[in-house]
Amino acid sequence: MSYHFNEIEDKWQKYWAENQTFKAENTTDKPKYYVLDMFPYPSGAGLHVGHPLGYIASDIYARYKRHQGFNVLHPQGYDSFGLPAEQYAIQTGQHPAITTETNIKRYREQLDKIGFSFDWSREVRTSNPEYYKWTQWIFIQLFNSWYNNDSNKAEDITTLIAVFSAEGNSGVNAVCDEDIELFSAEEWNNYTDKEQQKMLLKYRLTFLAETEVNWCPDLGTVLANDEIVNGVSERGGHPVVRKKMTQWSMRISAYAERLLNGIDYNQESLEWTDSIKEIQRNWIGKSQGASVTFNLKDHQASIEVFTTRPDTIFGVSFMTLAPEHELVAKITTPDQKAEVDGYIEATAKRSERDRMADVKTISGVFTGAYAEHPFTKQPVPIWIGDYVLASYGTGAVMAVPCGDQRDYDFAKHFGIDIPNIFEGVDISEEAFADKDKTVIGNSDFLNGMNYKKATKRAIYELEQIGQGKGKTNYRLRDAVFSRQRYWGEPFPVYYKDGMPQMIDDQHLPVRLPEVEKYLPTETGEPPLGNATEWTWCTTKNEVVPNTASGHCMHPLELNTMPGWAGSSWYMFRYMDAQNNGEFASKDALAYWKNVDLYIGGSEHATGHLLYSRFWTKFLFDRGYITVDEPFKKMINQGMILGTSALVYRLSGTNIYVSKGLINDREVEELRIDVSLINASDEVEDLNALKQWQPQFADAEFELEDGKYIVGREVEKMSKRWFNVVNPDDICQQYGADTLRLYEMFLGPLEQFKPWNTAGITGVHSFLKKLWKLYHNGDVFEVSDAEPTKDNLKTLHKTIKKVVEDIENFSFNTSVSTFMICVNELIQQKCNSRAILEPLAILISPYAPHIAEELWSKLGHAESIAYQAFPEFDEKHLVESSKEYPISFNGKMKFLLEMPLDMPKDEMEKTVMAHEKTQQQLQGRTPKKVIIVPGKIVNIVG
RNA sequence: GCUGAAGUGGUGGAAUUGGUAGACACGUUGGACUUAAAAUCCAAUGCCUAUUUUUGGCGUGCGGGUUCAAGUCCCGCCUUCAGUACCA
């Protein structure tokens, strides 16, 4: 009689594992389809019901595609390097590898219970040496590459060396460091080896540079821009300061333009949401304008600025430098020195956060120095101000107060001139920044021109005098790639004579050495400085010899790679995960190409998604892969939030007041475990609460109607809020199929929504009904009778809707469609085999276990997973209504579609009754009018 | 401020993309079956207003507009969420 979901689910999960039902083939005639989830970091807390949401969605799609005859790659793995395991190691001394292993095991158990169709034979873990061997290998390829702007792609460094030794660097159009002096071929050839290496480092796609980095003292490491949120670290919320350090960097800026173009102008535009595309566009931050050089009046130096408005150059009345600008100390006059130093000190003290929070206060100091206007040669006073950011552009601006509100405010505040260079515009109240309405005046050769013309002319004139040129500026910075951590990929790098050297491919992987403790060394080196034995050093290898004492003769790179290293290319490893000779074979890469559907959270928009596009483009340039975008289509699932339960303690007492009785009394809110609460927000058992935590042991309660009603708060699901719902419990109580259906039923995939266990019964009883429809007692029972027209109509209605829903990722409405379908079949008393066969396949992506069970009971030996998806046949829907020809005024003819039971004359009367409609019809000659009783519904012209 | 998304019953959310608004589910109420509970089944459920066999009216954040017809399209606001921020 009853639906024993636990038995059924165990049985089929075992069957799928034993038969490798979901193993993807690398050689087959079938078309490929690659469905990927963002792989999880295996945290110690395990999965809660929010985590599988995206996996369920991707699983539905993967199963659907499999039914459609595609060779589906649907893998899963773990992003297993990361901070929490390391911090746990610092606290407890337990090796992060052990923590990680334990967590992965737990994750796997939890995932297995939900019945995913993952191909686990391709599992990857970023912390596995067999995996990070290739992360290191890619790093080496980046080191051995430079970006050639002429061919617009990355090339091997040897092509650059060839050019250098033949003709020097003057003809080289590369993305490189800014401060490169020109040299001839002869000079190059006379350079010492070290000088040559130093020079090449300025061109390599990964390079060492002393840069100002975001240093997080509490975490003891540097962070990338996208790892900082609101001025504090994304993980842990620790303060971040600016600091100069020598670090590995990734020259992602070389790809800025292609990363931007790839979003839109690819032949196949990325099917991503507009919001993610927009976030990436903003992050790359392309702006076009000009760089302008201002010579200094009393120094042999110049200041370079970037501006988007070269047309307003005659409106310049001062310049502003960032307080950190390198020229500040040099140009400040003795008179102004004290004031300037004071200002610099004050701004340095203000944290990034303060500076961001306080954007309205105008502050700045005059340096006493003057620059010279490039055209008028008039003196231009140089100020410093913290509204100019050192990290954007050149850290200096030419201030045009009449055309930029910030410059305007600054000028007003300090009483600086505000010359007006716009025709017919009043600037007495605010700056005028409308480019489209701009007519330049008061500007010598630019007079009377609009924005476009004036910009072009200004750049031309600047070029003539050698004081400027057109320039495109990007906000995107090169990405710092070093972390002072233990639990990450070691660099395949050692230093000889102070210069970085790559370790030979054949010695990869460079394994993470054992250390006594996971903190920085006493001398301030990263944790790897504690290692005494690097097991990967081979005595045979002359380059990285290992002495008998276990010390390498050359210093090794002690930093590790950041979290995003391993996740920037994992999608390719799945294609050929066991390969020991390559990161994936050419054939596998050529067959699978890229990810057709990627599902994950939108929080990775500026990090992972940008970095993996960068690495993909690089690997493409170097000919290792055949695509230059990793993810064709992406869906960003929303988060499932928890519903915390609040109890209210009267301040200073041990009395807890039910929610409705608080009134105006002062109370403290405390969160209690959601499992103590029933569906109507009452505490189920007050004694259980007393036992839950010691602080409630002798609590007293003020009840309303004998119940304690709690407050509710929707927030992130987290252990600390006691609002975590565990998927294992749900599977145990209702089954995996119910969990899968319910997570989809909860609402649109992309939306954030709170979990509410109470509603799950509706979905669960649907499965019970479905089961009962084909069972008489415990006996499976289907009829071989021909299905009726009604039966077929119900089935095909469902097929149509479900196919549409899956293709639009509206999985929530499909669940409703299934419910309606089963309710109708119950009403029709239909347990026909001819209906169940297609229906089971239809349901199987959503509720695969019950579908397999019913399928096998129908007498099929093979898994339902490879059955063709049922096809929709319109004729079953059309036959339920009829079209009647009608004529008006003896002239016009059109069709009426209406319910079968409506008599023709009544229908005609209905149409006639609508006078306005008749008028409408006379003008248009519609072909078809769809009618429902009493009302015209649709005129199809 | 800018960018993006969204505002529909007590709740989650549907609405074939301009065609009977509120599907489906939760919750609530009533009923059936039970010694009882659970489970299951049946009925009602947007709001207001009538009524004894038959009601009218109002309703998709607010104000306008287009249309025979607007949750859906257009214009102007308001609110919420997310991203981003002195980007020159």
Side-chain angles (χ1 to χ4, degrees):
Chain A
M1 173 74 190
S2 54
Y3 159 48
H4 297 291
F5 46 86
N6 292 122
E7 267 168 47
I8 294 170
E9 290 173 2
D10 281 353
K11 171 178 160 189
W12 288 105
Q13 283 162 14
K14 209 173 278 167
Y15 175 91
W16 294 329
E18 279 166 7
N19 291 278
Q20 303 203 334
T21 308
F22 305 113
K23 198 168 178 346
E25 299 298 332
N26 271 7
T27 43
T28 161
D29 295 334
K30 286 183 183 175
K32 70 101 185 182
Y33 200 90
Y34 186 0
V35 183
L36 183 64
D37 295 290
M38 289 186 185
F39 61 167
Y41 172 80
S43 88
L47 295 173
H48 60 63
V49 287
H51 292 117
L53 180 73
Y55 308 153
I56 295 169
S58 68
D59 198 56
I60 290 171
Y61 205 77
R63 285 174 181 269
Y64 168 71
K65 279 289 175 183
R66 215 172 270 123
H67 284 302
Q68 285 195 321
F70 285 87
N71 180 32
V72 172
L73 175 54
H74 188 215
Q76 188 57 285
Y78 306 95
D79 189 11
S80 46
F81 273 133
L83 275 178
E86 176 159 350
Q87 253 151 7
Y88 189 72
I90 292 168
Q91 283 158 23
T92 65
Q94 171 153 281
H95 198 288
I98 297 171
T99 314
T100 304
E101 182 68 35
T102 315
N103 293 348
I104 286 177
K105 227 177 180 172
R106 169 107 181 88
Y107 264 58
R108 179 63 190 275
E109 276 170 19
Q110 289 187 295
L111 289 171
D112 281 349
K113 282 190 184 156
I114 304 172
F116 292 119
S117 64
F118 293 131
D119 177 356
W120 283 107
S121 71
R122 296 169 184 256
E123 178 191 308
V124 305
R125 302 178 184 187
T126 54
S127 62
N128 262 10
E130 292 72 34
Y131 180 86
Y132 67 67
K133 171 180 179 178
W134 298 106
T135 311
Q136 293 169 340
W137 180 84
I138 293 171
F139 176 84
I140 294 170
Q141 309 313 306
L142 282 155
F143 182 81
N144 288 330
S145 301
W146 64 294
Y147 200 89
N148 186 344
N149 276 330
D150 289 336
S151 60
N152 201 21
K153 61 177 202 174
E155 293 181 11
D156 198 279
I157 199 77
T158 53
T159 64
L160 185 65
I161 296 170
V163 176
F164 283 174
S165 56
E167 54 190 61
N169 71 345
S170 57
V172 171
N173 183 9
V175 179
C176 56
D177 289 4
E178 297 236 314
D179 55 340
I180 290 182
E181 61 277 17
L182 293 177
F183 54 80
S184 66
E186 205 184 350
E187 284 172 303
W188 170 260
N189 293 324
N190 287 330
Y191 280 169
T192 62
D193 183 49
K194 186 174 175 178
E195 283 168 336
Q196 289 188 346
Q197 284 188 40
K198 247 187 181 161
M199 183 56 65
L200 288 173
L201 207 47
K202 294 172 193 276
Y203 288 86
R204 296 180 189 275
L205 282 181
T206 183
F207 59 102
L208 271 177
E210 184 171 77
T211 43
E212 198 161 80
V213 295
N214 305 301
W215 174 254
C216 180
D218 291 1
L219 293 174
T221 189
V222 300
L223 298 170
N225 285 341
D226 63 277
E227 289 169 315
I228 299 163
V229 177
N230 293 331
V232 298
S233 69
E234 186 184 17
R235 281 188 183 271
H238 304 290
V240 175
V241 296
R242 311 282 302 169
K243 187 179 171 184
K244 282 217 162 181
M245 285 177 81
T246 299
Q247 300 283 319
W248 283 102
S249 255
M250 285 280 163
R251 220 180 281 282
I252 188 174
S253 57
Y255 285 87
E257 188 64 25
R258 282 169 64 190
L259 288 169
L260 196 60
N261 287 343
I263 296 170
D264 272 338
Y265 306 117
N266 238 18
Q267 297 95 329
E268 302 169 51
S269 174
L270 298 180
E271 290 176 63
W272 295 13
T273 63
D274 289 341
S275 78
I276 295 267
K277 288 181 179 178
E278 198 59 29
I279 289 171
Q280 291 217 344
R281 272 188 217 110
N282 291 341
W283 193 261
I284 296 167
K286 179 180 183 175
S287 52
Q288 272 168 318
S291 76
V292 183
T293 308
F294 284 75
N295 293 322
L296 291 173
K297 276 281 187 204
D298 305 312
H299 297 268
Q300 280 296 58
S302 60
I303 297 174
E304 200 183 318
V305 301
F306 173 75
T307 177
T308 53
R309 298 294 305 272
D311 57 317
T312 63
I313 190 145
F314 286 94
V316 173
S317 64
F318 63 101
M319 300 185 72
T320 315
L321 307 185
E324 300 89 342
H325 197 281
E326 52 182 10
L327 277 176
V328 172
K330 193 171 162 189
I331 62 172
T332 303
T333 58
D335 286 355
Q336 297 294 319
K337 191 168 178 358
E339 209 182 327
V340 167
D341 287 351
Y343 183 73
I344 292 172
E345 203 180 312
T347 40
K349 260 190 213 155
R350 294 174 77 192
S351 66
E352 283 278 317
R353 216 178 180 184
D354 293 340
R355 256 169 99 165
M356 272 195 286
D358 175 28
V359 294
K360 285 193 186 98
T361 314
I362 296 163
S363 70
V365 194
F366 180 44
T367 61
Y370 290 87
E372 177 189 274
H373 192 280
F375 297 119
T376 66
K377 305 298 179 196
Q378 292 296 307
V380 178
I382 302 170
W383 288 67
I384 60 174
D386 68 358
Y387 81 96
V388 176
L389 303 177
S391 56
Y392 183 76
T394 60
V397 300
M398 60 175 225
V400 182
C402 64
D404 182 285
Q405 194 57 42
R406 287 157 306 165
D407 295 345
Y408 186 92
D409 294 341
F410 195 86
K412 264 263 152 90
H413 189 262
F414 290 108
I416 305 170
D417 263 3
I418 307 180
N420 190 355
I421 52 145
F422 300 116
E423 293 283 1
V425 171
D426 174 27
I427 54 149
S428 59
E429 289 302 321
E430 57 178 9
F432 176 76
D434 191 342
K435 287 182 198 171
D436 296 333
K437 290 183 187 154
T438 293
V439 182
I440 303 286
N442 223 348
S443 298
D444 197 356
F445 51 81
L446 299 178
N447 283 342
M449 294 185 184
N450 62 20
Y451 158 73
K452 249 187 164 167
K453 266 189 162 170
T455 300
K456 227 174 153 184
R457 178 71 186 274
I459 291 173
Y460 172 79
E461 296 289 343
L462 283 166
E463 280 170 359
Q464 292 305 301
I465 57 170
Q467 279 190 253
K469 55 177 195 282
K471 192 183 172 183
T472 303
N473 199 46
Y474 296 92
R475 203 190 80 122
L476 183 70
R477 306 281 92 185
D478 284 335
V480 178
F481 200 64
S482 300
R483 295 292 183 275
Q484 293 68 46
R485 312 293 315 182
Y486 174 73
W487 192 231
E489 298 87 348
F491 282 83
V493 173
Y494 66 97
Y495 291 87
K496 203 160 119 188
D497 198 14
M499 296 307 295
Q501 311 294 323
M502 295 297 119
I503 289 164
D504 279 354
D505 284 7
Q506 73 248 37
H507 298 302
L508 300 182
V510 174
R511 283 171 195 271
L512 199 53
E514 297 300 321
V515 293
E516 290 277 311
K517 61 188 186 99
Y518 302 97
L519 289 169
T521 65
E522 276 152 26
T523 53
E525 286 178 328
L528 289 192
N530 291 316
T532 52
E533 200 172 340
W534 293 70
T535 53
W536 47 269
C537 286
T538 64
T539 45
K540 270 185 268 174
N541 178 8
E542 290 194 354
V543 180
V544 190
N546 200 6
T547 61
S549 68
H551 286 82
C552 292
M553 273 162 57
H554 295 292
L556 296 153
E557 175 62 63
L558 299 178
N559 286 304
T560 52
M561 298 186 195
W564 53 268
S567 60
S568 291
W569 72 280
Y570 76 114
M571 53 280 178
F572 297 114
R573 184 62 177 170
Y574 284 131
M575 296 175 183
D576 194 9
Q578 312 294 338
N579 197 325
N580 283 326
E582 297 162 281
F583 71 90
S585 74
K586 282 251 184 281
D587 288 347
L589 288 162
Y591 175 72
W592 292 109
K593 294 190 179 71
N594 51 10
V595 178
D596 294 284
L597 172 67
Y598 198 32
I599 295 194
S602 56
E603 66 274 13
H604 299 104
T606 54
H608 164 61
L609 289 173
L610 211 51
Y611 296 131
S612 41
R613 290 183 65 214
F614 160 41
W615 281 31
T616 301
K617 287 179 188 300
F618 167 73
L619 291 170
F620 171 76
D621 284 356
R622 297 304 316 272
Y624 293 114
I625 56 178
T626 59
V627 290
D628 81 334
E629 284 290 344
F631 314 116
K632 277 202 282 202
K633 182 180 175 71
M634 182 163 55
I635 300 282
N636 304 111
Q637 92 273 12
M639 203 184 291
I640 292 186
L641 302 166
T643 318
S644 309
L646 304 174
V647 293
Y648 305 93
R649 182 171 63 197
L650 282 178
S651 292
T653 71
N654 207 19
I655 302 166
Y656 292 83
V657 194
S658 184
K659 190 189 174 195
L661 301 174
I662 305 169
N663 299 323
D664 291 335
R665 290 183 284 180
E666 199 172 304
V667 291
E668 289 144 20
E669 291 182 349
L670 282 97
R671 283 173 176 75
I672 62 168
D673 200 299
V674 284
S675 64
L676 298 165
I677 313 302
N678 70 14
S680 28
D681 290 354
E682 314 161 11
V683 177
E684 186 99 318
D685 177 359
L686 289 173
N687 285 322
L689 172 57
K690 285 183 175 183
Q691 281 161 27
W692 175 63
Q693 272 190 351
Q695 60 170 324
F696 295 100
D698 46 0
E700 291 171 48
F701 300 97
E702 243 180 67
L703 306 177
E704 47 187 318
D705 303 331
K707 297 165 188 163
Y708 189 96
I709 308 292
V710 297
R712 291 295 203 173
E713 177 84 32
V714 172
E715 55 202 346
K716 248 188 178 175
M717 224 177 244
S718 158
K719 259 185 178 171
R720 57 196 279 242
W721 304 129
F722 307 113
N723 61 2
V724 172
V725 180
N726 189 318
D728 303 3
D729 297 344
I730 303 291
C731 286
Q732 180 59 36
Q733 204 179 341
Y734 299 99
D737 284 339
T738 300
L739 175 73
R740 293 169 63 109
L741 283 168
Y742 187 56
E743 294 225 353
M744 292 302 105
F745 182 74
L746 224 42
L749 188 56
E750 289 94 337
Q751 225 163 74
F752 281 61
K753 56 228 160 199
W755 177 266
N756 167 20
T757 305
I760 205 168
T761 53
V763 166
H764 188 60
S765 64
F766 153 71
L767 287 175
K768 283 198 278 195
K769 277 191 216 164
L770 172 68
W771 184 259
K772 231 175 104 183
L773 180 57
Y774 299 101
H775 285 82
N776 185 5
D778 272 333
V779 184
F780 180 69
E781 209 175 82
V782 285
S783 87
D784 287 317
E786 279 288 304
T788 65
K789 279 186 176 174
D790 278 347
N791 299 159
L792 287 167
K793 185 184 171 186
T794 297
L795 173 69
H796 283 270
K797 226 167 56 178
T798 309
I799 295 172
K800 183 167 190 252
K801 188 70 171 52
V802 169
V803 169
E804 277 170 12
D805 284 346
I806 293 180
E807 276 166 7
N808 296 322
F809 297 90
S810 315
F811 301 128
N812 53 329
T813 51
S814 302
V815 181
S816 299
T817 307
F818 289 136
M819 290 181 184
I820 296 166
C821 173
V822 167
N823 282 340
E824 283 182 12
L825 291 177
I826 289 170
Q827 238 158 46
Q828 294 161 12
K829 298 196 169 58
C830 165
N831 65 341
S832 155
R833 162 183 294 269
I835 299 293
L836 176 57
E837 287 213 345
L839 184 62
I841 300 169
L842 211 56
I843 288 179
S844 85
Y846 292 81
H849 309 87
I850 194 172
E852 284 274 20
E853 182 70 12
L854 292 171
W855 186 253
S856 78
K857 286 192 170 185
L858 282 167
H860 300 286
E862 209 193 1
S863 165
I864 196 172
Y866 290 99
Q867 302 309 311
F869 213 61
E871 273 183 37
F872 165 63
D873 188 343
E874 197 176 7
K875 95 178 167 219
H876 297 294
L877 300 196
V878 174
E879 278 186 7
S880 59
S881 62
K882 268 188 186 166
E883 293 185 339
Y884 293 88
I886 298 276
S887 65
F888 270 116
N889 308 334
K891 282 182 189 170
M892 266 173 300
K893 284 184 187 166
F894 49 92
L895 297 171
L896 291 175
E897 188 183 314
M898 52 162 285
L900 283 167
D901 52 357
M902 190 181 195
K904 192 177 171 183
D905 57 334
E906 195 178 316
M907 185 173 63
E908 256 181 83
K909 255 195 293 183
T910 315
V911 177
M912 292 301 200
H914 289 74
E915 228 175 282
K916 275 184 182 171
T917 307
Q918 287 185 48
Q919 289 166 6
Q920 172 79 5
L921 296 180
Q922 278 166 7
R924 284 213 214 155
T925 35
K927 290 180 186 120
K928 191 170 165 186
V929 176
I930 298 171
I931 288 201
V932 288
K935 207 158 187 176
I936 294 181
V937 170
N938 202 1
I939 301 167
V940 185

